[in-house]
Amino acid sequence: MIDTSKWKEYRMSGPEREYLDAYLANLKKNTDPDLGDDVFFARFCIAQILKPRDLDVNQLADGYTDGRLDGGADAIYFFVAGKLVTEDMTPSEVVEYEGLTMSLHLIQATRSPHFPTDQLRKLEDFSKDLLDSRNDIDEKAQLYNADVRAAIRRFHIWWQDLKMKLPSLSIHFHIASKGDGVHPDVATRAEGLKRTVKGLYHCDCDVHFYNAKMLLEMAKQSRREPVEMKFIKQLASDHWGNAFVCLVTIKDYITLITTKTGDLRDYVLEPNVRAYLGSKGVNSEIRNTLLAGSKTDEFWWLNNGVTITSSQIKPGISSLVLKDARVVNGLQTSREIYHYFQQKPKAAMSDERHVLVKVIEADKKSARNITKTTNNQTKIDPIYLRTTTDDIHDAIEAALPTFGFYYERVKNQYYDDDNVPRSQIVTLDYLTRALVAIIMQKPEQARGSPGQFVQRHYKPLLSKLAGIEVRE
């Protein structure tokens, strides 16, 4: 969020504004040439605002609500424990956790050279009409489109089911424009919007403004910045390559896997296995060990630890700087440490126990082998693990460009390429649904939870897929 008292620092010069316009025009030409200018600008802003969340092209698209009767919200996203909530998820998946963080994000973008007060008024009306859980959402069908109502209905369902677990709720309004500063009248309206929302929920509420210069700076930032991991003790080995075994305090490990705002740093978690939360039994054992706060039993004595791959490791006296860091094993441990931080932040950030962390410098081929081997010890949904390791996925990735498509077997590997059309990106989730519906002839399964279906039928699906002849 920009401190509006310092807007002079964010004013664009004439050449900077011309550069932004040229950059957007070129990006639209290469990635979404068929979109109107207003829609493209809105989706560009949404992607920049949510870049730290590491959502793929389909996850971003699922949140779009813009169009007629959008109530001023171009997109709506709801996160629980740092994870995007989708229509095929249920609150029962996280009901065992106390003190979850829940965050609702509403994004509005305009190409206007200023921030219109009318947009704040719309969002305030939106909040009174839809965020108020006492109202029947469908009675507002004449005012708000189906996508808007579905997104807010999902939020209400999760809130009602989990509120007795005392979650920490935050509601964020993100407003972007090609302007420079926020007029005092707009700032006053923003405060009124916050008061309205806080009158409906015991929550934190913020209105974030993004002007033209900030949007340009956000576009230049990499989705995956190098991360620093501090350690207490380390054993280095260069016999087979650059590798380290480290003892890392729970506090420093939390710093590694979270952003400055306390959100889960999703891009550090291996994108093809991070969706798997593991068995509830294993998770609860890790959680109980963390919450117990033992003064006699070290955490790393009772836990197998974490394996991280990195394309480049720069060692320091008491830390390692990791480029393209990926937690490829220890996803359950990482998520439970994050939940521990959410539930008891003071205790977690003062916890003197340690996590055992292996860090290995590896190229793509070696990283895939490490992922496959270390996760063979854990039951993971095959479609997530095997997309990293099975040769058939190499063949799919190699074949699809012939037909003008790009298979993202690694999340956002093509979305971040400004020369790849967004409509030609095929994500793992999209491919899974297509294979289940077309190859397995089970469209009803494709609409629900295709990952679970593939877990049961991976071998027959793979054999049918391997027998398909690829023709131009």
mmCIF file of all heavy atoms in Angstrom, residues 210-255:
data_model
loop_
_atom_site.group_PDB
_atom_site.id
_atom_site.type_symbol
_atom_site.label_atom_id
_atom_site.label_comp_id
_atom_site.label_asym_id
_atom_site.label_seq_id
_atom_site.Cartn_x
_atom_site.Cartn_y
_atom_site.Cartn_z
ATOM 1 N N TYR A 210 -2.770 2.065 -6.486
ATOM 2 C CA TYR A 210 -1.613 1.806 -7.350
ATOM 3 C C TYR A 210 -1.667 2.791 -8.510
ATOM 4 O O TYR A 210 -2.599 2.749 -9.329
ATOM 5 C CB TYR A 210 -1.637 0.380 -7.897
ATOM 6 C CG TYR A 210 -1.745 -0.688 -6.835
ATOM 7 C CD1 TYR A 210 -2.990 -1.048 -6.314
ATOM 8 C CD2 TYR A 210 -0.617 -1.336 -6.347
ATOM 9 C CE1 TYR A 210 -3.101 -2.022 -5.336
ATOM 10 C CE2 TYR A 210 -0.716 -2.318 -5.365
ATOM 11 C CZ TYR A 210 -1.965 -2.644 -4.862
ATOM 12 O OH TYR A 210 -2.077 -3.617 -3.892
ATOM 13 N N ASN A 211 -0.686 3.683 -8.569
ATOM 14 C CA ASN A 211 -0.677 4.640 -9.666
ATOM 15 C C ASN A 211 0.199 4.136 -10.800
ATOM 16 O O ASN A 211 0.763 3.039 -10.756
ATOM 17 C CB ASN A 211 -0.248 6.029 -9.183
ATOM 18 C CG ASN A 211 1.207 6.077 -8.756
ATOM 19 O OD1 ASN A 211 1.919 5.077 -8.767
ATOM 20 N ND2 ASN A 211 1.661 7.263 -8.377
ATOM 21 N N ALA A 212 0.321 4.944 -11.848
ATOM 22 C CA ALA A 212 1.003 4.498 -13.061
ATOM 23 C C ALA A 212 2.456 4.111 -12.807
ATOM 24 O O ALA A 212 2.934 3.083 -13.296
ATOM 25 C CB ALA A 212 0.925 5.607 -14.114
ATOM 26 N N LYS A 213 3.158 4.918 -12.028
ATOM 27 C CA LYS A 213 4.573 4.637 -11.804
ATOM 28 C C LYS A 213 4.758 3.355 -10.996
ATOM 29 O O LYS A 213 5.670 2.562 -11.273
ATOM 30 C CB LYS A 213 5.246 5.812 -11.084
ATOM 31 C CG LYS A 213 6.755 5.642 -10.977
ATOM 32 C CD LYS A 213 7.443 6.936 -10.597
ATOM 33 C CE LYS A 213 8.966 6.763 -10.636
ATOM 34 N NZ LYS A 213 9.664 8.046 -10.389
ATOM 35 N N MET A 214 3.899 3.140 -10.008
ATOM 36 C CA MET A 214 4.024 1.927 -9.213
ATOM 37 C C MET A 214 3.744 0.691 -10.061
ATOM 38 O O MET A 214 4.418 -0.344 -9.926
ATOM 39 C CB MET A 214 3.072 1.977 -8.026
ATOM 40 C CG MET A 214 3.308 0.837 -7.052
ATOM 41 S SD MET A 214 2.292 0.983 -5.565
ATOM 42 C CE MET A 214 2.996 -0.338 -4.573
ATOM 43 N N LEU A 215 2.754 0.765 -10.944
ATOM 44 C CA LEU A 215 2.442 -0.353 -11.825
ATOM 45 C C LEU A 215 3.629 -0.691 -12.717
ATOM 46 O O LEU A 215 3.936 -1.871 -12.949
ATOM 47 C CB LEU A 215 1.214 -0.038 -12.683
ATOM 48 C CG LEU A 215 -0.119 0.025 -11.932
ATOM 49 C CD1 LEU A 215 -1.204 0.582 -12.834
ATOM 50 C CD2 LEU A 215 -0.520 -1.354 -11.410
ATOM 51 N N LEU A 216 4.308 0.330 -13.201
ATOM 52 C CA LEU A 216 5.482 0.105 -14.034
ATOM 53 C C LEU A 216 6.590 -0.567 -13.235
ATOM 54 O O LEU A 216 7.242 -1.508 -13.714
ATOM 55 C CB LEU A 216 5.976 1.436 -14.608
ATOM 56 C CG LEU A 216 7.190 1.368 -15.541
ATOM 57 C CD1 LEU A 216 6.905 0.460 -16.729
ATOM 58 C CD2 LEU A 216 7.575 2.770 -16.015
ATOM 59 N N GLU A 217 6.804 -0.118 -12.005
ATOM 60 C CA GLU A 217 7.833 -0.731 -11.151
ATOM 61 C C GLU A 217 7.485 -2.180 -10.824
ATOM 62 O O GLU A 217 8.362 -3.053 -10.800
ATOM 63 C CB GLU A 217 7.979 0.083 -9.862
ATOM 64 C CG GLU A 217 8.589 1.468 -10.083
ATOM 65 C CD GLU A 217 8.616 2.301 -8.815
ATOM 66 O OE1 GLU A 217 8.028 1.853 -7.805
ATOM 67 O OE2 GLU A 217 9.198 3.396 -8.834
ATOM 68 N N MET A 218 6.197 -2.453 -10.596
ATOM 69 C CA MET A 218 5.766 -3.818 -10.297
ATOM 70 C C MET A 218 5.980 -4.736 -11.501
ATOM 71 O O MET A 218 6.346 -5.899 -11.353
ATOM 72 C CB MET A 218 4.295 -3.814 -9.879
ATOM 73 C CG MET A 218 4.048 -3.124 -8.543
ATOM 74 S SD MET A 218 2.304 -2.726 -8.263
ATOM 75 C CE MET A 218 1.598 -4.334 -7.993
ATOM 76 N N ALA A 219 5.758 -4.204 -12.702
ATOM 77 C CA ALA A 219 5.935 -5.004 -13.914
ATOM 78 C C ALA A 219 7.394 -5.401 -14.105
ATOM 79 O O ALA A 219 7.693 -6.458 -14.662
ATOM 80 C CB ALA A 219 5.440 -4.234 -15.127
ATOM 81 N N LYS A 220 8.302 -4.562 -13.633
ATOM 82 C CA LYS A 220 9.731 -4.849 -13.788
ATOM 83 C C LYS A 220 10.221 -5.887 -12.778
ATOM 84 O O LYS A 220 11.263 -6.493 -12.983
ATOM 85 C CB LYS A 220 10.538 -3.551 -13.610
ATOM 86 C CG LYS A 220 10.318 -2.512 -14.711
ATOM 87 C CD LYS A 220 11.106 -1.249 -14.400
ATOM 88 C CE LYS A 220 10.899 -0.176 -15.449
ATOM 89 N NZ LYS A 220 11.638 1.073 -15.123
ATOM 90 N N GLN A 221 9.482 -6.068 -11.694
ATOM 91 C CA GLN A 221 9.926 -6.976 -10.639
ATOM 92 C C GLN A 221 9.731 -8.426 -11.047
ATOM 93 O O GLN A 221 8.713 -8.789 -11.642
ATOM 94 C CB GLN A 221 9.152 -6.695 -9.347
ATOM 95 C CG GLN A 221 9.457 -5.342 -8.726
ATOM 96 C CD GLN A 221 8.560 -5.029 -7.541
ATOM 97 O OE1 GLN A 221 7.682 -5.804 -7.188
ATOM 98 N NE2 GLN A 221 8.777 -3.888 -6.920
ATOM 99 N N SER A 222 10.698 -9.248 -10.703
ATOM 100 C CA SER A 222 10.603 -10.672 -10.980
ATOM 101 C C SER A 222 9.638 -11.332 -10.004
ATOM 102 O O SER A 222 9.538 -10.928 -8.849
ATOM 103 C CB SER A 222 11.990 -11.325 -10.855
ATOM 104 O OG SER A 222 11.890 -12.731 -10.880
ATOM 105 N N ARG A 223 8.931 -12.329 -10.495
ATOM 106 C CA ARG A 223 8.025 -13.092 -9.639
ATOM 107 C C ARG A 223 8.802 -13.871 -8.586
ATOM 108 O O ARG A 223 8.335 -14.117 -7.484
ATOM 109 C CB ARG A 223 7.220 -14.065 -10.499
ATOM 110 C CG ARG A 223 6.211 -14.891 -9.754
ATOM 111 C CD ARG A 223 5.638 -15.965 -10.670
ATOM 112 N NE ARG A 223 5.037 -15.391 -11.848
ATOM 113 C CZ ARG A 223 3.781 -14.944 -11.918
ATOM 114 N NH1 ARG A 223 3.008 -15.011 -10.862
ATOM 115 N NH2 ARG A 223 3.297 -14.428 -13.031
ATOM 116 N N ARG A 224 10.019 -14.289 -8.939
ATOM 117 C CA ARG A 224 10.796 -15.163 -8.065
ATOM 118 C C ARG A 224 12.140 -14.529 -7.721
ATOM 119 O O ARG A 224 13.156 -14.812 -8.356
ATOM 120 C CB ARG A 224 10.989 -16.528 -8.727
ATOM 121 C CG ARG A 224 9.682 -17.239 -9.018
ATOM 122 C CD ARG A 224 9.908 -18.555 -9.735
ATOM 123 N NE ARG A 224 8.636 -19.227 -9.994
ATOM 124 C CZ ARG A 224 7.909 -19.034 -11.071
ATOM 125 N NH1 ARG A 224 8.335 -18.179 -11.997
ATOM 126 N NH2 ARG A 224 6.760 -19.669 -11.236
ATOM 127 N N GLU A 225 12.142 -13.663 -6.776
ATOM 128 C CA GLU A 225 13.379 -13.041 -6.329
ATOM 129 C C GLU A 225 14.215 -14.062 -5.550
ATOM 130 O O GLU A 225 13.678 -14.968 -4.914
ATOM 131 C CB GLU A 225 13.071 -11.843 -5.422
ATOM 132 C CG GLU A 225 12.310 -10.703 -6.109
ATOM 133 C CD GLU A 225 13.150 -9.963 -7.129
ATOM 134 O OE1 GLU A 225 14.384 -10.156 -7.128
ATOM 135 O OE2 GLU A 225 12.583 -9.202 -7.921
ATOM 136 N N PRO A 226 15.542 -13.934 -5.593
ATOM 137 C CA PRO A 226 16.374 -14.801 -4.749
ATOM 138 C C PRO A 226 16.006 -14.619 -3.278
ATOM 139 O O PRO A 226 15.573 -13.540 -2.862
ATOM 140 C CB PRO A 226 17.801 -14.298 -5.030
ATOM 141 C CG PRO A 226 17.720 -13.651 -6.369
ATOM 142 C CD PRO A 226 16.350 -13.036 -6.439
ATOM 143 N N VAL A 227 16.165 -15.678 -2.504
ATOM 144 C CA VAL A 227 15.826 -15.616 -1.081
ATOM 145 C C VAL A 227 17.063 -15.957 -0.253
ATOM 146 O O VAL A 227 17.961 -16.661 -0.709
ATOM 147 C CB VAL A 227 14.677 -16.586 -0.728
ATOM 148 C CG1 VAL A 227 13.384 -16.151 -1.390
ATOM 149 C CG2 VAL A 227 15.032 -18.022 -1.128
ATOM 150 N N GLU A 228 17.088 -15.414 0.958
ATOM 151 C CA GLU A 228 18.201 -15.672 1.859
ATOM 152 C C GLU A 228 17.744 -16.599 2.980
ATOM 153 O O GLU A 228 16.702 -16.378 3.591
ATOM 154 C CB GLU A 228 18.738 -14.370 2.454
ATOM 155 C CG GLU A 228 19.930 -14.573 3.379
ATOM 156 C CD GLU A 228 20.448 -13.280 3.980
ATOM 157 O OE1 GLU A 228 19.673 -12.297 4.003
ATOM 158 O OE2 GLU A 228 21.602 -13.249 4.416
ATOM 159 N N MET A 229 18.536 -17.621 3.247
ATOM 160 C CA MET A 229 18.242 -18.541 4.340
ATOM 161 C C MET A 229 19.376 -18.477 5.366
ATOM 162 O O MET A 229 20.516 -18.829 5.072
ATOM 163 C CB MET A 229 18.097 -19.978 3.827
ATOM 164 C CG MET A 229 17.660 -20.956 4.919
ATOM 165 S SD MET A 229 17.641 -22.680 4.367
ATOM 166 C CE MET A 229 19.419 -23.041 4.407
ATOM 167 N N LYS A 230 19.049 -18.008 6.559
ATOM 168 C CA LYS A 230 20.039 -17.957 7.630
ATOM 169 C C LYS A 230 20.125 -19.314 8.313
ATOM 170 O O LYS A 230 19.137 -20.049 8.383
ATOM 171 C CB LYS A 230 19.660 -16.874 8.647
ATOM 172 C CG LYS A 230 19.681 -15.473 8.071
ATOM 173 C CD LYS A 230 19.325 -14.435 9.123
ATOM 174 C CE LYS A 230 19.357 -13.018 8.540
ATOM 175 N NZ LYS A 230 18.992 -12.005 9.558
ATOM 176 N N PHE A 231 21.301 -19.649 8.812
ATOM 177 C CA PHE A 231 21.471 -20.928 9.490
ATOM 178 C C PHE A 231 22.297 -20.757 10.753
ATOM 179 O O PHE A 231 23.015 -19.763 10.926
ATOM 180 C CB PHE A 231 22.118 -21.963 8.562
ATOM 181 C CG PHE A 231 23.449 -21.534 7.973
ATOM 182 C CD1 PHE A 231 24.620 -21.552 8.735
ATOM 183 C CD2 PHE A 231 23.531 -21.131 6.647
ATOM 184 C CE1 PHE A 231 25.834 -21.166 8.197
ATOM 185 C CE2 PHE A 231 24.750 -20.730 6.102
ATOM 186 C CZ PHE A 231 25.900 -20.754 6.878
ATOM 187 N N ILE A 232 22.199 -21.742 11.644
ATOM 188 C CA ILE A 232 22.998 -21.762 12.866
ATOM 189 C C ILE A 232 24.255 -22.598 12.658
ATOM 190 O O ILE A 232 25.366 -22.208 13.005
ATOM 191 C CB ILE A 232 22.170 -22.335 14.047
ATOM 192 C CG1 ILE A 232 20.932 -21.473 14.283
ATOM 193 C CG2 ILE A 232 23.017 -22.393 15.318
ATOM 194 C CD1 ILE A 232 21.239 -20.030 14.638
ATOM 195 N N LYS A 233 24.056 -23.775 12.054
ATOM 196 C CA LYS A 233 25.167 -24.670 11.734
ATOM 197 C C LYS A 233 24.984 -25.163 10.310
ATOM 198 O O LYS A 233 23.858 -25.308 9.829
ATOM 199 C CB LYS A 233 25.193 -25.873 12.689
ATOM 200 C CG LYS A 233 25.389 -25.523 14.160
ATOM 201 C CD LYS A 233 26.831 -25.120 14.453
ATOM 202 C CE LYS A 233 27.020 -24.906 15.962
ATOM 203 N NZ LYS A 233 28.416 -24.502 16.286
ATOM 204 N N GLN A 234 26.117 -25.451 9.629
ATOM 205 C CA GLN A 234 26.009 -26.018 8.306
ATOM 206 C C GLN A 234 27.196 -26.907 8.003
ATOM 207 O O GLN A 234 28.296 -26.689 8.504
ATOM 208 C CB GLN A 234 25.884 -24.916 7.234
ATOM 209 C CG GLN A 234 27.050 -23.948 7.149
ATOM 210 C CD GLN A 234 28.105 -24.333 6.117
ATOM 211 O OE1 GLN A 234 28.016 -25.386 5.504
ATOM 212 N NE2 GLN A 234 29.092 -23.483 5.933
ATOM 213 N N LEU A 235 26.924 -27.936 7.198
ATOM 214 C CA LEU A 235 27.963 -28.837 6.712
ATOM 215 C C LEU A 235 27.941 -28.751 5.203
ATOM 216 O O LEU A 235 26.915 -29.039 4.568
ATOM 217 C CB LEU A 235 27.690 -30.272 7.173
ATOM 218 C CG LEU A 235 28.643 -31.356 6.632
ATOM 219 C CD1 LEU A 235 30.056 -31.128 7.167
ATOM 220 C CD2 LEU A 235 28.136 -32.743 7.017
ATOM 221 N N ALA A 236 29.049 -28.338 4.604
ATOM 222 C CA ALA A 236 29.105 -28.140 3.161
ATOM 223 C C ALA A 236 29.793 -29.315 2.488
ATOM 224 O O ALA A 236 30.670 -29.962 3.062
ATOM 225 C CB ALA A 236 29.842 -26.842 2.833
ATOM 226 N N SER A 237 29.392 -29.574 1.249
ATOM 227 C CA SER A 237 30.011 -30.631 0.450
ATOM 228 C C SER A 237 30.114 -30.175 -0.993
ATOM 229 O O SER A 237 29.149 -29.655 -1.559
ATOM 230 C CB SER A 237 29.174 -31.917 0.523
ATOM 231 O OG SER A 237 29.648 -32.866 -0.408
ATOM 232 N N ASP A 238 31.283 -30.339 -1.591
ATOM 233 C CA ASP A 238 31.455 -30.025 -3.013
ATOM 234 C C ASP A 238 32.003 -31.229 -3.774
ATOM 235 O O ASP A 238 32.509 -31.111 -4.885
ATOM 236 C CB ASP A 238 32.370 -28.813 -3.200
ATOM 237 C CG ASP A 238 33.757 -29.022 -2.586
ATOM 238 O OD1 ASP A 238 34.018 -30.131 -2.084
ATOM 239 O OD2 ASP A 238 34.557 -28.065 -2.620
ATOM 240 N N HIS A 239 31.865 -32.419 -3.173
ATOM 241 C CA HIS A 239 32.400 -33.627 -3.797
ATOM 242 C C HIS A 239 31.651 -33.952 -5.094
ATOM 243 O O HIS A 239 32.249 -34.227 -6.130
ATOM 244 C CB HIS A 239 32.321 -34.802 -2.824
ATOM 245 C CG HIS A 239 32.909 -36.071 -3.368
ATOM 246 N ND1 HIS A 239 34.250 -36.197 -3.654
ATOM 247 C CD2 HIS A 239 32.326 -37.262 -3.691
ATOM 248 C CE1 HIS A 239 34.480 -37.419 -4.137
ATOM 249 N NE2 HIS A 239 33.328 -38.077 -4.158
ATOM 250 N N TRP A 240 30.298 -33.915 -5.015
ATOM 251 C CA TRP A 240 29.479 -34.189 -6.189
ATOM 252 C C TRP A 240 28.855 -32.901 -6.744
ATOM 253 O O TRP A 240 28.217 -32.921 -7.788
ATOM 254 C CB TRP A 240 28.359 -35.167 -5.826
ATOM 255 C CG TRP A 240 28.856 -36.525 -5.465
ATOM 256 C CD1 TRP A 240 28.931 -37.065 -4.220
ATOM 257 C CD2 TRP A 240 29.361 -37.513 -6.354
ATOM 258 N NE1 TRP A 240 29.458 -38.326 -4.267
ATOM 259 C CE2 TRP A 240 29.721 -38.638 -5.579
ATOM 260 C CE3 TRP A 240 29.558 -37.570 -7.737
ATOM 261 C CZ2 TRP A 240 30.256 -39.791 -6.129
ATOM 262 C CZ3 TRP A 240 30.085 -38.727 -8.287
ATOM 263 C CH2 TRP A 240 30.432 -39.821 -7.494
ATOM 264 N N GLY A 241 29.020 -31.825 -6.045
ATOM 265 C CA GLY A 241 28.403 -30.562 -6.433
ATOM 266 C C GLY A 241 28.269 -29.677 -5.214
ATOM 267 O O GLY A 241 28.697 -30.040 -4.115
ATOM 268 N N ASN A 242 27.656 -28.539 -5.392
ATOM 269 C CA ASN A 242 27.495 -27.576 -4.310
ATOM 270 C C ASN A 242 26.272 -27.945 -3.480
ATOM 271 O O ASN A 242 25.140 -27.874 -3.965
ATOM 272 C CB ASN A 242 27.335 -26.174 -4.909
ATOM 273 C CG ASN A 242 27.826 -25.090 -3.980
ATOM 274 O OD1 ASN A 242 28.521 -25.371 -3.004
ATOM 275 N ND2 ASN A 242 27.477 -23.854 -4.279
ATOM 276 N N ALA A 243 26.474 -28.360 -2.232
ATOM 277 C CA ALA A 243 25.362 -28.789 -1.397
ATOM 278 C C ALA A 243 25.658 -28.513 0.071
ATOM 279 O O ALA A 243 26.818 -28.491 0.487
ATOM 280 C CB ALA A 243 25.086 -30.277 -1.602
ATOM 281 N N PHE A 244 24.594 -28.308 0.855
ATOM 282 C CA PHE A 244 24.735 -27.953 2.267
ATOM 283 C C PHE A 244 23.667 -28.675 3.076
ATOM 284 O O PHE A 244 22.535 -28.856 2.614
ATOM 285 C CB PHE A 244 24.576 -26.444 2.474
ATOM 286 C CG PHE A 244 25.565 -25.604 1.727
ATOM 287 C CD1 PHE A 244 25.374 -25.309 0.384
ATOM 288 C CD2 PHE A 244 26.699 -25.103 2.362
ATOM 289 C CE1 PHE A 244 26.283 -24.528 -0.313
ATOM 290 C CE2 PHE A 244 27.622 -24.333 1.677
ATOM 291 C CZ PHE A 244 27.411 -24.047 0.331
ATOM 292 N N VAL A 245 24.024 -29.055 4.283
ATOM 293 C CA VAL A 245 23.060 -29.526 5.273
ATOM 294 C C VAL A 245 23.103 -28.526 6.419
ATOM 295 O O VAL A 245 24.174 -28.289 6.995
ATOM 296 C CB VAL A 245 23.402 -30.938 5.786
ATOM 297 C CG1 VAL A 245 22.392 -31.368 6.845
ATOM 298 C CG2 VAL A 245 23.420 -31.937 4.632
ATOM 299 N N CYS A 246 21.941 -27.936 6.728
ATOM 300 C CA CYS A 246 21.920 -26.812 7.670
ATOM 301 C C CYS A 246 20.905 -27.036 8.798
ATOM 302 O O CYS A 246 19.872 -27.679 8.611
ATOM 303 C CB CYS A 246 21.538 -25.519 6.953
ATOM 304 S SG CYS A 246 22.519 -25.118 5.495
ATOM 305 N N LEU A 247 21.218 -26.470 9.949
ATOM 306 C CA LEU A 247 20.239 -26.314 11.011
ATOM 307 C C LEU A 247 19.756 -24.873 10.975
ATOM 308 O O LEU A 247 20.547 -23.930 11.105
ATOM 309 C CB LEU A 247 20.852 -26.640 12.373
ATOM 310 C CG LEU A 247 21.048 -28.124 12.706
ATOM 311 C CD1 LEU A 247 21.668 -28.268 14.094
ATOM 312 C CD2 LEU A 247 19.726 -28.888 12.632
ATOM 313 N N VAL A 248 18.451 -24.717 10.768
ATOM 314 C CA VAL A 248 17.843 -23.392 10.605
ATOM 315 C C VAL A 248 16.807 -23.214 11.704
ATOM 316 O O VAL A 248 15.977 -24.103 11.930
ATOM 317 C CB VAL A 248 17.173 -23.279 9.217
ATOM 318 C CG1 VAL A 248 16.529 -21.911 9.038
ATOM 319 C CG2 VAL A 248 18.179 -23.554 8.106
ATOM 320 N N THR A 249 16.843 -22.088 12.403
ATOM 321 C CA THR A 249 15.827 -21.864 13.433
ATOM 322 C C THR A 249 14.447 -21.779 12.788
ATOM 323 O O THR A 249 14.310 -21.391 11.622
ATOM 324 C CB THR A 249 16.086 -20.562 14.211
ATOM 325 O OG1 THR A 249 15.970 -19.449 13.325
ATOM 326 C CG2 THR A 249 17.455 -20.565 14.867
ATOM 327 N N ILE A 250 13.443 -22.164 13.555
ATOM 328 C CA ILE A 250 12.073 -22.081 13.046
ATOM 329 C C ILE A 250 11.759 -20.651 12.618
ATOM 330 O O ILE A 250 11.108 -20.420 11.592
ATOM 331 C CB ILE A 250 11.083 -22.593 14.111
ATOM 332 C CG1 ILE A 250 11.196 -24.120 14.223
ATOM 333 C CG2 ILE A 250 9.654 -22.180 13.781
ATOM 334 C CD1 ILE A 250 10.321 -24.745 15.277
ATOM 335 N N LYS A 251 12.246 -19.681 13.374
ATOM 336 C CA LYS A 251 12.010 -18.276 13.024
ATOM 337 C C LYS A 251 12.593 -17.949 11.654
ATOM 338 O O LYS A 251 11.937 -17.324 10.806
ATOM 339 C CB LYS A 251 12.647 -17.363 14.079
ATOM 340 C CG LYS A 251 12.538 -15.875 13.765
ATOM 341 C CD LYS A 251 13.359 -15.034 14.729
ATOM 342 C CE LYS A 251 14.854 -15.206 14.464
ATOM 343 N NZ LYS A 251 15.673 -14.270 15.279
ATOM 344 N N ASP A 252 13.827 -18.365 11.408
ATOM 345 C CA ASP A 252 14.467 -18.053 10.130
ATOM 346 C C ASP A 252 13.843 -18.838 8.983
ATOM 347 O O ASP A 252 13.818 -18.365 7.840
ATOM 348 C CB ASP A 252 15.972 -18.338 10.200
ATOM 349 C CG ASP A 252 16.719 -17.314 11.044
ATOM 350 O OD1 ASP A 252 16.244 -16.163 11.126
ATOM 351 O OD2 ASP A 252 17.754 -17.666 11.638
ATOM 352 N N TYR A 253 13.336 -20.029 9.274
ATOM 353 C CA TYR A 253 12.661 -20.777 8.211
ATOM 354 C C TYR A 253 11.340 -20.100 7.851
ATOM 355 O O TYR A 253 10.958 -20.056 6.677
ATOM 356 C CB TYR A 253 12.416 -22.235 8.633
ATOM 357 C CG TYR A 253 11.982 -23.085 7.460
ATOM 358 C CD1 TYR A 253 12.899 -23.469 6.493
ATOM 359 C CD2 TYR A 253 10.653 -23.459 7.296
ATOM 360 C CE1 TYR A 253 12.507 -24.217 5.383
ATOM 361 C CE2 TYR A 253 10.249 -24.205 6.203
ATOM 362 C CZ TYR A 253 11.184 -24.578 5.255
ATOM 363 O OH TYR A 253 10.793 -25.299 4.144
ATOM 364 N N ILE A 254 10.652 -19.570 8.848
ATOM 365 C CA ILE A 254 9.424 -18.810 8.574
ATOM 366 C C ILE A 254 9.741 -17.619 7.678
ATOM 367 O O ILE A 254 9.015 -17.319 6.731
ATOM 368 C CB ILE A 254 8.772 -18.354 9.897
ATOM 369 C CG1 ILE A 254 8.196 -19.557 10.640
ATOM 370 C CG2 ILE A 254 7.673 -17.319 9.634
ATOM 371 C CD1 ILE A 254 7.760 -19.254 12.058
ATOM 372 N N THR A 255 10.839 -16.927 7.967
ATOM 373 C CA THR A 255 11.245 -15.785 7.148
ATOM 374 C C THR A 255 11.507 -16.208 5.705
ATOM 375 O O THR A 255 11.196 -15.479 4.760
ATOM 376 C CB THR A 255 12.509 -15.131 7.735
ATOM 377 O OG1 THR A 255 12.228 -14.705 9.074
ATOM 378 C CG2 THR A 255 12.944 -13.930 6.915
#
